[in-house]
Amino acid sequence: MSISIKDVEHVAKLARLELKDEEKNQFTKQLNAILQYAEKLNELDTENIEPTTHVLKLTNVMREDETRDSLPLEKVFHNAPEEDEGQIKVPAVLE
Amino acid sequence: MSLFHSRLKDIHNQLVNKQLKVSDLVNESYERIQKVDSKVKAFLTLDEENARTYADKLDELLDNSSERGLLFGLPAGIKDNIVTEGLKTTCASQFLTNFDPIYDASVMKKLKSAQSITIGKLNMDEFAMGGSNENSSFQTTHNPWNTEYVPGGSSGGSAAAVAADEVYFALGSDTGGSIRQPAAYCGVVGLKPTYGLVSRFGLVAFASSLDQIGPITKNVEDNAYVLQSIAGYDVMDSTSANVEIPDYISALSGDVKGLKIGVPKEYLCEGIDPKVKDSIMSALKVLEGLGAEWEEVSLPHTEYAVATYYLLASSEASSNLARFDGVRYGVRTENPDNLLDVYLKSRSEGFGDEVKRRIMLGTYSLSSGYYDAYYLKAQKVRTLIKQDFDKVFEKYDVVIGPTAPTTAFKLGSQIDDPLTMYLNDICTIPVSLAGIPAISVPCGFVDGLPVGLQIIGKAFDESTVLRVAHAYEQSTEYHQNRPQL
């Protein structure tokens, strides 16, 4: 499998990255090299092998459903780029 | 001689006996930073005023109370992906240039109760992605042993600061070798604990199924003290392991008689510098002299570990880094046209090359049509890699090999070749995938650059790892060498 500039453009869109032409070329080349290296894994038969998502044998970890104080608003906004009347402000979603 | 060359115990006694003040230790740190950090460039942010105020407070406590934390008064440097309330935390990324955390990571709370003093925040590869610190958006840290060489990474700032005597100890984080590899390159002791032993709450996530925080120190005993202070269950981290924490310090008996060591042949063949191999073989002789026995073993899936790791870690990273969208925190692009523009431009302007490359690789591996071929396949191979270790540990107490196949490389020599850079992690990555603990201890020098010996243990058996590392260290003098700066 090899990936094209078009694939790179598609993946960039999914990842919400805007790439310059020069970056697209470079990433196409480098990602192809890395993926080609990853082809190595196909040498192994993993038909009956369980995937490992996590090394600890944990199932869902729940806490008691108790109400707790949430963060004070001033802390929530402390790092926000823009805020207005108790809300984080962003440009219009619909134009 | 630096005050930081003394053992933790000796410093503690000097403080209690009034031969030394906490403010002297903090002075030592800032004076040293003033003197050498223009060459080493380990620190991104200093917290001098707060550190000095806290030192005075601890000095008062010395007079008025007999209660002392395990790390009382010791100057600490913290990797800049561990959030510190009110102290800028950037992950060495433009994206978080002004990020001022509103809470402390759980390890910072633990350090506070152990009463160490935070001196400042340490450089790293952006979002912990890299093995040289050249991926920092702000500065490149230099290896204190030879400033033309990399300190390793991603916790390069942490390892370099300890090696250069700028702090007494440091915290780093390790995803595929990011504590052990820089510790090896800088000639210090770095431990990656078992996954789940130390809380990840407040560690900015890179690859959540692999990330672990751990201590970087000058000797094994100090490492045990820091681990003792930060290990333990945390309700704030759902992957935190609810296990009893042993006494790591009393585990350092010096006794390795009858210990069974497995030495993986895969770690000593392809790509290893023959002089590094010589250092490892000499280290095994030392352990043999202490009554341990070693045999060659095989971890047959080692050659698949790097590919597995880069698919899994990048996939997890692409998901974790989706939160950096320029809405709630971080640097938002100026004059965006619409909301989509906020995402696209903020991310494209805020992330560096390596971070973008891994987000791209991860997004691709997880995308429709490729998930089974890459992500799921890698998860299955991860199982095989873990089983390799399970088998070896049925017969052996520890596995020993090099931490890295070579010593530190020259700054700039690998930056354009990501794949070669990734292969430096061949000996540390399998351990991360298996989630087990490993330490790097100094075991020699090649052309003036340190070599690291990696001691790998069973899950949650840090006691044995530390015991073996300590017994080895106490029979050698490598850890006493200091770089000339």
Side-chain angles (χ1 to χ4, degrees), chain A residues 44-49, chain B residues 377 380:
Chain A
L44 296 169
D45 178 5
T46 51
E47 186 68 34
N48 298 311
I49 306 292
Chain B
K377 181 79 186 181
K380 289 180 168 186

Side-chain angles (χ1 to χ4, degrees), chain A residues 1-4 7-20 23-24 26-63 68 71-72 74-83 88-95, chain B residues 85 98-102 195-196 208-209 233 236 238-241 301 303-304 306-308 310-312 316 326-330 332 336-345 347-348 351 353 356-357 359-361 363-365 367 370 373-374 376-384 386-387 416 418-419 422-423 432-435 460:
Chain A
M1 257 180 279
S2 79
I3 64 170
S4 63
D7 295 325
V8 165
E9 283 170 348
H10 172 67
V11 172
K13 199 176 144 199
L14 293 177
R16 297 289 183 268
L17 290 171
E18 198 173 64
L19 302 180
K20 296 182 199 97
E23 283 176 309
K24 285 180 199 166
Q26 194 197 16
F27 283 156
T28 307
K29 208 175 89 196
Q30 291 173 335
L31 291 179
N32 265 318
I34 297 167
L35 289 169
Q36 203 178 0
Y37 178 72
E39 293 290 320
K40 224 178 148 53
L41 301 188
N42 293 326
E43 294 167 11
L44 296 169
D45 178 5
T46 51
E47 186 68 34
N48 298 311
I49 306 292
E50 284 291 313
T52 296
T53 50
H54 234 266
V55 287
L56 300 176
K57 297 267 179 273
L58 290 171
T59 45
N60 291 340
V61 178
M62 306 286 192
R63 67 166 173 84
R68 296 191 297 205
L71 283 172
E74 73 209 53
K75 283 202 161 189
V76 174
F77 295 134
H78 184 64
N79 284 291
E82 213 178 337
E83 104 172 86
I88 288 171
K89 194 176 172 185
V90 292
V93 180
L94 299 169
E95 286 164 38
Chain B
E85 186 174 357
N98 299 312
F99 184 62
D100 180 26
I102 55 172
Y195 182 80
S208 310
S209 80
Y233 178 68
M236 299 303 282
S238 64
T239 60
S240 173
H301 296 94
E303 61 172 311
Y304 303 101
V306 172
T308 302
Y310 278 94
L311 291 173
L312 293 179
E316 293 186 26
V327 173
R328 290 155 301 155
Y329 45 76
R332 184 185 290 181
D337 290 338
N338 50 41
L339 185 61
L340 181 62
D341 217 34
V342 171
Y343 301 153
L344 286 170
K345 293 217 167 72
R347 288 166 66 78
S348 303
F351 294 146
D353 265 5
K356 286 181 189 167
R357 187 156 43 238
I359 291 174
M360 292 287 292
L361 176 64
T363 307
Y364 181 77
S365 316
S367 67
Y370 300 102
Y374 292 112
L376 187 65
K377 181 79 186 181
Q379 283 189 317
K380 289 180 168 186
V381 180
R382 183 175 184 181
T383 304
L384 296 174
K386 187 172 179 289
Q387 287 172 351
D416 294 324
L419 198 53
Y422 296 171
L423 288 168
S432 297
L433 291 169
F460 300 107

Side-chain angles (χ1 to χ4, degrees), chain B residues 20-38:
Chain B
L20 186 66
K21 284 164 71 177
V22 177
S23 50
D24 298 332
L25 291 168
V26 170
N27 259 336
E28 177 94 4
S29 224
Y30 287 113
E31 275 174 20
R32 183 72 178 164
I33 291 167
Q34 184 73 34
K35 198 174 154 214
V36 302
D37 208 53
S38 57

